[in-house]
Every structure is written in structure tokens, then in C-alpha cells.
Amino acid sequence: MNLFKPLLAGANFTDRLIGCVGATIGIALTIIVTGGLPLTTADFPLIVAPLGASAVLVFAVPSSPLAQPWPVVGGNVISSLIGVAAYKLIPEATIAAGVAVGAAILVMSLLRCLHPPGGAAALTAVIGSESIHLAGYGFAFAPVAINSIALVAVGLLFHRATARSYPHVPAPVPVSRLQHADIAAALGDMDESFDIAREDLEALLSHAERHAARREGKR
């Protein structure tokens, strides 16, 4: 039964329900906005599949560094451009697909816009339909950029209406013995990456330290 326990720390049913409603509205409005564009070919997508994954991040885990506006827009658009370039420059589709995703991860990381759906956007540019290939680099702007901007705009309005923080602003850090250098050293010891901003991690640990001190004081 451990497989069915909550995966996200702090998650509750209300938050998940709000995320479902937000994603429903976000995807629907994104399609409506893109539907008003003069896309010429019948098989050209009004919305790209990676936006479904972007919606999961924006509406279900809006505090994630991977879900912030710049990663959503920059990650999807830049990865799409890389995917188009890989398709044009590498004749073998199998190699082009791998290079597109790998290069997208590297460039997104360097530009501080790492966004997992960006890998799917890069892949779509390589293995997508003929209309996507004919669009060339324009695919990264219509529909990918328009999709991404529309989704972020809906996310901003939706989270403001539901009193959630987006773009996420880290909570103030309470007085603590912990310092930035301590957090950095601990992360270096573990040698892993976590889907939480360092500022949020510092605030979480400081709050935990405060609760521990309060518990110890009651003994």
C-alpha cells in the first residue's frame, strides 16, 4: 500500500482538486486562444502534447522551480528550436531525436529554464507530423510559444484567484541557526538534485528546527 501514499510532501485533496480544475481551464483556454490563429494545414496542432505535462507542473505543483513562468515559456520554446535544428542538421531520425532531447536538457540548464516538458517539445519537433517539419523554426513560436504563454497567463490568473503563490515567492525564513552555507554544504554532501528551490528548502528546515526546539522545550 505504500505505493498509493501521497507522493508530494504537504499535498492534500483540496490542493489536488484545485490543480485539476486549473489544468482543465488552462488547457481549454489555451486551445481556444490558439484556435484563433491562421494555422494553414489541417494536421497542424492547435496545442502540442508537452503542454499537458506543463499544465501538471503549473497547476499541481506551482511552487516547483520547474513550473515557474520562465521555465515553462523558455524551456518549451528553446527546446523546440533545438529540436527543429536537430531535425534539419541530422539525417538519421533516431540520432536526431536523442541529440534534440539531450541538447535541450543542457541548454535549458544553462539558461535556468529547466522544464521537463521541454524534452518532449524537442522530441515533437523531430518526430512530429509533416506540417510541423514544414513549419521549421516557426513551430517554436506558433503554436509552442503561444501555447506556453497562454498557459502561464491562465496560471497567473487562476492562482491569484485561488490565493496561491504563482510565480512562487519563497516564504520568509524564520530565525535559525542554519545559514545558506550550511544548506549548500548539505546539498553537496548528498550530491543530488531536488525539485525544490534552495530558499524554500532553507525555510522548511528552519521551520522544522523551530518545531523541534519547541517540542524539546516541553519535555
Side-chain angles (χ1 to χ4, degrees):
M1 294 300 294
N2 287 336
L3 292 175
F4 301 99
K5 290 183 177 180
L7 179 63
L8 298 176
N12 57 58
F13 180 75
T14 300
D15 288 338
R16 299 287 75 81
L17 185 60
I18 291 174
C20 290
V21 174
T24 300
I25 296 172
I27 292 296
L29 289 181
T30 297
I31 293 174
I32 291 172
V33 168
T34 312
L37 298 175
L39 301 177
T40 55
T41 58
D43 63 339
F44 200 74
L46 291 178
I47 189 169
V48 289
L51 259 289
S54 294
V56 172
L57 290 169
V58 170
F59 294 100
V61 283
S63 62
S64 169
L66 308 177
Q68 302 314 298
W70 168 236
V72 175
V73 177
N76 283 333
V77 173
I78 291 168
S79 296
S80 297
L81 291 171
I82 291 171
V84 173
Y87 174 77
K88 289 180 174 292
L89 297 174
I90 304 174
E92 174 56 48
T94 302
I95 298 175
V99 168
V101 175
I105 292 172
L106 175 61
V107 176
M108 285 190 292
S109 298
L110 293 174
L111 296 180
R112 297 175 61 84
C113 59
L114 187 63
H115 186 60
L123 188 60
T124 300
V126 176
I127 66 171
S129 66
E130 185 63 24
S131 63
I132 290 176
H133 294 155
L134 290 174
Y137 293 105
F139 169 69
F141 302 100
V144 175
I146 294 172
N147 284 174
S148 302
I149 293 170
L151 188 73
V152 166
V154 174
L156 290 169
L157 295 174
F158 182 81
H159 288 308
R160 178 167 295 184
T162 55
R164 303 170 93 196
S165 174
Y166 187 82
H168 178 61
V169 178
V173 179
V175 177
S176 170
R177 293 174 297 176
L178 295 173
Q179 298 181 0
H180 288 289
D182 300 323
I183 304 297
L187 290 172
D189 291 341
M190 298 185 72
D191 194 27
E192 288 189 49
S193 297
F194 298 93
D195 187 10
I196 181 172
R198 185 169 297 187
E199 295 81 5
D200 287 327
L201 180 59
E202 182 178 357
L204 175 64
L205 292 175
S206 297
H207 280 291
E209 185 182 57
R210 177 169 53 84
H211 284 292
R214 183 180 302 170
R215 185 188 69 250
E216 292 293 332
K218 292 180 179 179
R219 291 183 178 179

